[in-house]
Amino acid sequence: MKSSDVIVARHAWTSLIHRRLGVLAGLTAALCGCFLANLSIGPVPLSLSSLFHTLLHGNDGSAAATVVWHLRLPFAVMAILTGFALGLAGAEMQTILDNPLASPFTLGLSAAAAFGASLAIVMGWHLPFGAAWGGEGIVAVNAFIFAIGSALLLDLIARWRGGTRGTVVLFGIALVFTFQALVALVQFVASEDALQDLVFWTMGSMTRANWPKIAVLGGACLLVAPWSLRSAWSLTALRMGEDRAASLGVNVPAVRLASLMRISILAALAVAFSGTIGFVGLVAPHIARRLLGEDHRFYLSGSAVVGCLIMSCASLAARGLLPGEVLPVGIVTALVGIPFFLATVLRDGRTS
Amino acid sequence: MNGLVAGPLNVHIGRRPILHDVTLGPLARGTVTALLGPNGSGKSTLLRALAGLLPAHGPITLNGQALSSLSRPAHARLCAYMPQALPPPIRMQVMESVLVSLRVQGGSLHDEAFSQAMETLSRLGIADMALRFMDELSGGQRQLVGLAQALVRSPDLLLLDEPLSALDLRHQFTVMDLLRRETKKRRMVSVIVLHDLSMALRHTDVATMLAKGRVLASGPVREVVTSAILAQAYGVQARVEDDASGMPMVCVDGVV
Ligand SMILES: Nc1ncnc2c1ncn2[C@@H]1O[C@H](COP(=O)(O)OP(=O)(O)O)[C@@H](O)[C@H]1O
Ligand SMILES: [Mg+2]
């Protein structure tokens, strides 16, 4: 064993880490550009200088400031936070279920959360202390309850003896259809007013974004992201197989349960505030894995940033595709995501 | 008491009893033990129980310490286990996967870790693969990486489940040779599941033969791998002979 070999290996490792940090920085820069474009492009175009002026001086009541602070900024920030939540949730889900087709959307978490939310809307449930929220609080809580319920169910199936990858996917698809049917049922019996609300959930859109919701989702992301990164090494080990990870000292059931909690919090809040948005949680982890590898310190952060980037681009496209119309973002992500989804299915089918 | 003493162990999977009063040892430090037996005889189950991955009813002590009383991380510090399944072909560098194996328990990636990792890889003859990705390697190459992940942790107890199953002739030999030397040098207790009986005769010290979840025979490997016991365990007519160079080998003539 030559010490030069060790130095070479050490050097290669350091440059690998640097390259990954570089990729993360590049993604973040692209995200910043997209975010600014979101703020300046629209029916009332704003130059970058007047945009910065408005951002720095707060809402001074001018027309431009009102457009930025009341419309574009909340939408743009909400899009990014939703992308962050879905990207991170999808990345963790693919790891703990060991399944490249796992995401909150494909395996029914989003559908379950949407059903929970629509139930709360139609029944007119309210939290005792949530008057200021106009019922939004209970909607989010109910979405969370249904999301965690289906997440636990999926985990049970995945660990069940004889439960293979295929079983989990099929079960997830069954969950999607079940909850979609239930949402349709709720829509059928809903009143005119509630129906308006419900259509919003099923399409996925940023138009209901406001600052209190942003604070809640942003706070959740801020709490969950470090919690998630603390498990990064354990999750990386889990990628090498459950037994191998356990023999390395990882408490696999505990890591799994914590991960399911995080996934449910993120997916439920994203759905409760932005409706069902498909394919971001599926596509972002794949892109992150390609760019950054399996080291979960980079893979998890990368998937979250890629999720932000996709949502930011999609919300730009949602406003640009049809002049004068704002399409629901969910439609855009689905249109872009389905080809990617099919490509993944085909590639996975070939290798396994 | 130095070394590994286990049993009598009873292991259930679900409601099904798999191992019945299995005893192992005492296995002294520095010896290589072959765990033999036909398919489904419970070899993997016994190894998983020793690795603390399955609840076992019965005592397991290593160098005087009861393993069952240890927490998962403490257990993992003493014991390295390589599952029967090959490491999956994921987008992770060989070097990286060995470092993960060292790092999961905490601590930082210092120079020591890099030299340990590179040294283990070069002993297994795969130092040139350090920067390749696992999804670009063959099954046998990944099996060598799996071995590196276990060896690099210098455990007191080394448990390997069919470590030769995907290796070519040359690597089967070098791996067994390496395992024997490392076991002596680091005074480990190594328990290795093997299917190749000639390999067991030449490269291990003691052996335990399992059949239908019970111990059929146990002791020095030449006393365990005999015609009578092979007939009983595998249902084959076999001879144990010395070849031209005086090395023992097993010839199978037919089934009984
Ligand atoms: N997860 C499991 N669930 C139920 N039975 C199992 C499981 N794993 C192994 N067994 C049973 O335990 C017995 C021993 O299996 P195993 O230890 O894998 O055998 P070996 O490794 O010696 O080929 C077999 O009869 C097998 O059917
Ligand atoms: Mg086995």
Side-chain angles (χ1 to χ4, degrees), chain A residues 10 20 243-244 246 248, chain B residues 48 72 85 91 96 105 111:
Chain A
R10 173 100 217 213
R20 287 173 177 171
D243 268 2
R244 224 171 286 270
L248 291 174
Chain B
R48 281 167 52 85
R72 179 120 285 296
R91 193 90 195 133
E96 204 177 357
Q105 291 258 339
D111 280 332

Side-chain angles (χ1 to χ4, degrees), chain A residues 1 5-6 9-10 12-13 16 20 161 233 236-237 239-240 243-244 246-250 293-295, chain B residues 48 53 72 76 81 85-88 90-93 96 101 103 105 111 114 118-119 122 131 149 153:
Chain A
M1 184 67 229
D5 282 3
V6 176
R10 173 100 217 213
W13 171 266
L16 182 73
R20 287 173 177 171
R161 260 189 293 131
W233 284 102
T236 310
R239 287 291 292 149
M240 303 196 291
D243 268 2
R244 224 171 286 270
S247 77
L248 291 174
V250 175
E294 300 275 3
D295 183 339
Chain B
R48 281 167 52 85
L53 302 178
R72 179 120 285 296
Y81 161 75
L86 300 180
I90 53 175
R91 193 90 195 133
M92 191 188 285
Q93 280 184 347
E96 204 177 357
S101 178
R103 171 63 179 71
Q105 291 258 339
D111 280 332
F114 283 92
M118 279 311 286
E119 200 166 311
S122 72
L131 301 177
Q149 290 177 343
R153 296 167 57 219

Side-chain angles (χ1 to χ4, degrees), chain A:
Chain A
M1 184 67 229
K2 296 189 298 287
S3 64
S4 66
D5 282 3
V6 176
I7 294 169
V8 168
R10 173 100 217 213
H11 185 76
W13 171 266
T14 317
S15 64
L16 182 73
I17 298 287
H18 285 166
R19 210 187 69 221
R20 287 173 177 171
L21 285 173
V23 170
L24 268 184
L27 287 171
T28 313
L31 175 62
C32 290
C34 205
F35 177 66
L36 289 178
N38 257 305
L39 295 184
S40 66
I41 297 171
V44 186
L46 285 177
S47 68
L48 270 186
S49 59
S50 62
L51 179 59
F52 281 124
H53 178 89
T54 315
L55 286 179
L56 287 177
H57 290 81
N59 190 353
D60 54 13
S62 69
T66 310
V67 168
V68 169
W69 284 95
H70 284 290
L71 294 172
R72 290 187 194 167
L73 200 54
F75 294 2
V77 173
M78 196 58 163
I80 285 180
L81 289 176
T82 307
F84 188 97
L86 293 176
L88 185 54
E92 288 212 35
M93 213 164 160
Q94 293 190 2
T95 293
I96 63 160
L97 295 179
D98 186 24
N99 198 315
L101 295 180
S103 82
F105 181 71
T106 41
L107 297 190
L109 253 64
S110 298
F115 174 65
S118 50
L119 210 57
I121 294 170
V122 170
M123 298 299 190
W125 288 337
H126 289 283
L127 282 183
F129 48 86
W133 282 82
E136 302 275 9
I138 187 72
V139 170
V141 169
N142 217 34
F144 174 73
I145 291 171
F146 277 83
I148 183 106
S150 51
L152 288 174
L153 219 56
L154 278 176
D155 186 53
L156 208 67
I157 295 291
R159 282 186 300 159
W160 174 54
R161 260 189 293 131
T164 62
R165 274 181 176 197
T167 325
V168 177
V169 173
L170 289 179
F171 188 81
I173 292 171
L175 279 185
V176 173
F177 285 132
T178 308
F179 283 111
Q180 276 177 354
L182 288 174
V183 170
L185 183 70
V186 171
Q187 283 179 347
F188 189 74
V189 300
S191 65
E192 270 310 305
D193 281 353
L195 200 57
Q196 280 291 315
D197 270 351
L198 289 184
V199 170
F200 161 81
W201 296 105
T202 49
M203 298 261 227
S205 149
M206 297 298 128
T207 49
R208 302 261 172 125
N210 60 28
W211 290 109
K213 288 182 191 172
I214 286 174
V216 171
L217 186 55
C221 288
L222 272 181
L223 278 178
V224 167
W227 180 18
S228 182
L229 282 178
R230 268 189 51 193
S231 313
W233 284 102
S234 304
L235 290 167
T236 310
L238 207 53
R239 287 291 292 149
M240 303 196 291
E242 209 172 299
D243 268 2
R244 224 171 286 270
S247 77
L248 291 174
V250 175
N251 186 347
V252 176
V255 168
R256 261 207 154 110
L257 190 65
S259 188
L260 284 173
M261 292 295 294
R262 296 192 288 266
I263 292 166
S264 306
I265 293 173
L266 293 172
L269 286 179
V271 171
F273 295 151
S274 310
T276 43
I277 290 178
F279 298 102
V280 177
L282 180 77
V283 174
H286 283 273
I287 297 178
R289 202 176 292 122
R290 282 283 167 84
L291 292 177
L292 297 158
E294 300 275 3
D295 183 339
H296 276 52
R297 293 176 297 170
F298 298 103
Y299 163 68
L300 292 177
S301 0
S303 183
V305 176
V306 170
C308 297
L309 189 59
I310 294 175
M311 279 303 291
S312 210
C313 291
S315 76
L316 205 58
R319 286 189 285 142
L321 282 182
L322 292 184
E325 290 274 356
V326 180
L327 292 176
V329 180
I331 293 177
V332 178
T333 61
L335 285 178
V336 179
I338 287 168
F340 193 93
F341 179 75
L342 287 176
T344 309
V345 173
L346 290 176
R347 206 184 51 230
D348 193 52
R350 227 183 25 238
T351 53
S352 65

Side-chain angles (χ1 to χ4, degrees), chain A residues 161, chain B residues 13-14 16-19 36-46 48 84 161-162 193 195 210 213:
Chain A
R161 260 189 293 131
Chain B
I13 297 182
R16 240 179 97 197
I18 306 285
L19 297 182
L36 309 170
N39 294 331
S41 56
K43 306 180 296 292
S44 298
T45 307
L46 177 56
R48 281 167 52 85
Q84 186 171 353
D161 200 343
E162 301 196 21
V193 176
H195 271 306
L210 292 179

